[in-house]
Amino acid sequence: MDDQLPSRKAPIFCSLRYGLCLLLHFCNVVMMSQRMCLSLTVVAMVNSTDPHGWPNTSTKNLLDNIKNPRYNWSPEIRGVILSSILYGMLIVKIPVGYLSGIYSIRKMVSCALILSSLSSLLIPLAADAGEMPLIACRVVQGLGQGTVSIAQHVVWVKWAPPLERGRLTSLSLSGLMLGPFISLLATGFICQALGWPYVFYIFGACGCALGLFWFILFYDDPKDHPCISVDEKEFITSSLMAQVSSNGQHLPIKAMLKSLPLWAISLGCFAFSWTNHIMFLYSPTFISSKLHVNVTENGLLSALPYLFSWLLGILVGQVADLFLSRNMLRVITIRKLFTTLGLLLPSFFGICLCHLSSGSHSTIIFLILASSTVVFCVVGILINPLDIAPRYYGFLKGVTVLIGLTGGLTSSTLAGIILKQDPESSWSKIFFLMAAINVISLTFYLIFAKAEIQDWAKEKHTRL
């Protein structure tokens, strides 16, 4: 891989590839806003005016119920509704990863984003129809979002020169962090001013518009784009000349199963998702238990880690590509360095949260650091499959993301069990367990990780 890095320069500002990267960034912002907003709107959707579920019949509350319809959902039903989007995402990971190497990414991302957005527009109607239609709507939304989350990675197989993969990937994926920040800040104001249904209407409409823009502006191959400059087209195609396409190729499953570098990436993704789910899903609970603030303040404090993750995510891509362009570090060294930072720093700051934070300010600082430093992995393990097997990048992203999501679901479930059994010392147990998972996974990654195209991913390999 290191021998394939071109020395030729190409325009960055006003270039088409960075314009498309910015468009994908905003697609991720809207997609995550659609996913996250229900966690806040559910507070306004549930009838809590009476312990038995009977609504207050005062004139003020009758008017409010017209703007904010309320439903008698138990905590168990609410949990199923909130998590149902994950079932749709789980179903499509590997199939989309495989199909993204065969079919048009332009059509897949556009149709999937519009599907997610239409589901968002239908959520108020589905909620009126009952719990099951709403759950079904969220599952369909998960199918769309799961497709976008995997297919978008394949964009950079043909559009990202090797020296710019880090910054293009980190810039586009940083929208996944900005989306929850915007959602946490905007949802409360929209609910208060217009009513909770408008949260889904606004984010749904924005998603439909971006889906159409993506279909109009994006082309699967730079050579086919009518608006790209000659210099930019030549730069991208020449830098990727040694890279082959996966179209029509059979998957070397046996070789993949025997590949230690691929297992190293998969285990690293497991640890990354474990840490990510703990830090972002349980930050509001941690803030509430340690700082005892009200819901509004909790929402603002919970949004801060997303903001810092967004900023740091953009920065790490620039730094990684700077190391590459100046030949300061090899590709494998960069992958291992940033993976080490992305797994060890959250573990360290997480433990500091329990043992070194003496006041509210230190608690918030350590919480922001523990949550945001995990984004170092974006230019480490998360992009590493593109180094070892660019022709199968979509399929490998589907597999590794599915393994990572398994870690996230396990960690969030286990954390809930620990918190229920032992509220006093539970946070120490959660963060020490997270640190142990990260250290074990990182050790395996540092030993077996590679950044060269593997033999089974080259033009000539043994096929099943």
Side-chain angles (χ1 to χ4, degrees):
M1 187 71 184
D2 297 304
D3 299 331
Q4 299 171 8
L5 302 179
S7 58
R8 182 179 175 182
K9 301 293 182 181
I12 292 179
F13 296 105
C14 300
S15 64
L16 183 61
R17 63 190 183 281
Y18 279 91
L20 295 174
C21 178
L22 194 60
L23 176 60
L24 188 55
H25 173 89
F26 287 117
C27 289
N28 284 325
V29 169
V30 171
M31 185 177 71
M32 283 302 297
S33 297
Q34 293 174 0
R35 187 188 307 177
M36 289 289 296
C37 65
L38 184 61
S39 63
L40 290 180
T41 57
V42 74
V43 178
M45 296 168 73
V46 174
N47 189 352
S48 59
T49 57
D50 183 89
H52 301 289
W54 296 99
N56 191 312
T57 56
S58 67
T59 303
K60 181 179 179 181
N61 281 304
L62 284 173
L63 292 174
D64 183 63
N65 286 339
I66 296 174
K67 185 170 71 173
N68 291 295
R70 298 179 185 274
Y71 311 98
N72 298 322
W73 294 336
S74 66
E76 291 78 11
I77 290 295
R78 276 178 269 169
V80 173
I81 291 172
L82 289 172
S83 62
S84 56
I85 192 172
L86 295 177
Y87 299 119
M89 296 179 68
L90 279 170
I91 293 171
V92 299
K93 292 295 183 184
I94 293 180
V96 168
Y98 175 72
L99 294 174
S100 62
I102 302 174
Y103 295 106
S104 169
I105 298 300
R106 176 192 188 189
K107 295 177 182 178
M108 289 181 69
V109 172
S110 178
C111 292
L113 183 57
I114 291 175
L115 177 63
S116 173
S117 302
L118 291 176
S119 300
S120 180
L121 292 171
L122 290 173
I123 282 179
L125 185 62
D128 274 337
E131 295 94 338
M132 292 308 298
L134 177 56
I135 291 171
C137 195
R138 288 281 285 177
V139 171
V140 172
Q141 190 172 43
L143 294 174
Q145 296 203 1
T147 300
V148 175
S149 65
I150 295 300
Q152 66 171 295
H153 290 279
V154 187
V155 168
W156 306 123
V157 173
K158 293 184 177 180
W159 276 92
L163 290 177
E164 298 179 4
R165 283 175 178 169
R167 72 185 74 169
L168 287 169
T169 301
S170 62
L171 178 58
S172 60
L173 292 181
S174 64
L176 298 174
M177 294 300 176
L178 183 60
F181 174 75
I182 292 175
S183 180
L184 286 169
L185 290 183
T187 297
F189 293 105
I190 297 173
C191 286
Q192 187 176 11
L194 302 173
W196 65 259
Y198 280 88
V199 175
F200 300 101
Y201 297 150
I202 291 172
F203 288 135
C206 290
C208 288
L210 284 171
L212 291 174
F213 278 132
W214 178 264
F215 184 79
I216 295 171
L217 298 176
F218 179 76
Y219 281 72
D220 292 321
D221 198 311
K223 293 181 290 186
D224 300 327
H225 205 292
C227 300
I228 191 172
S229 67
V230 175
D231 289 341
E232 185 176 7
K233 182 192 299 184
E234 290 180 354
F235 170 72
I236 295 175
T237 54
S238 63
S239 66
L240 299 174
M241 284 181 63
Q243 187 170 289
V244 292
S245 172
S246 63
N247 291 347
Q249 299 294 322
H250 296 287
L251 293 172
I253 300 296
K254 287 183 179 179
M256 289 179 178
L257 290 174
K258 295 177 181 178
S259 175
L260 288 176
L262 182 56
W263 279 108
I265 295 171
S266 300
L267 193 57
C269 289
F270 182 90
F272 166 80
S273 188
W274 184 293
T275 302
N276 203 39
H277 276 70
I278 289 291
M279 296 313 306
F280 286 107
L281 287 181
Y282 282 93
S283 287
T285 305
F286 182 84
I287 291 171
S288 178
S289 64
K290 295 296 183 180
L291 302 182
H292 308 289
V293 296
N294 60 41
V295 176
T296 303
E297 292 173 337
N298 195 330
L300 292 174
L301 294 175
S302 298
L304 288 177
Y306 288 104
L307 177 62
F308 281 87
S309 296
W310 174 63
L311 295 172
L312 186 60
I314 296 174
L315 178 63
V316 295
Q318 300 289 334
V319 174
D321 285 346
L322 179 65
F323 288 155
L324 273 180
S325 62
R326 297 191 178 182
N327 295 318
M328 298 170 66
L329 295 173
R330 296 186 303 132
V331 175
I332 186 58
T333 306
I334 291 173
R335 301 292 180 251
K336 290 182 176 181
L337 171 63
F338 283 93
T339 299
T340 301
L341 294 174
L343 293 181
L344 288 189
L345 289 181
S347 303
F348 172 74
F349 291 124
I351 294 173
C352 289
L353 263 176
C354 297
H355 300 283
L356 297 180
S357 55
S358 56
S360 59
H361 290 90
S362 60
T363 298
I364 294 302
I365 290 173
F366 282 131
L367 182 63
I368 290 174
L369 291 173
S371 301
S372 60
T373 49
V374 73
V375 301
F376 280 110
C377 290
V378 170
V379 290
I381 49 173
L382 297 191
I383 199 176
N384 201 184
L386 184 56
D387 301 321
I388 67 171
R391 68 189 297 135
Y392 303 118
Y393 185 45
F395 178 75
L396 295 184
K397 282 304 297 184
V399 172
T400 55
V401 169
L402 179 62
I403 294 174
L405 194 55
T406 303
L409 292 173
T410 304
S411 68
S412 56
T413 303
L414 193 58
I417 295 173
I418 295 174
L419 285 170
K420 185 177 181 179
Q421 291 180 345
D422 188 8
E424 294 299 325
S425 60
S426 57
W427 291 111
S428 292
K429 294 179 181 178
I430 290 171
F431 287 123
F432 273 110
L433 179 59
M434 182 182 81
I437 295 293
N438 286 353
V439 170
I440 293 171
S441 301
L442 178 62
T443 302
F444 190 87
Y445 181 81
L446 292 177
I447 294 173
F448 295 108
K450 302 291 183 181
E452 302 84 19
I453 297 179
Q454 300 299 290
D455 292 338
W456 48 265
K458 294 178 181 178
E459 185 67 30
K460 294 181 180 180
H461 54 71
T462 303
R463 300 174 183 172
L464 288 178

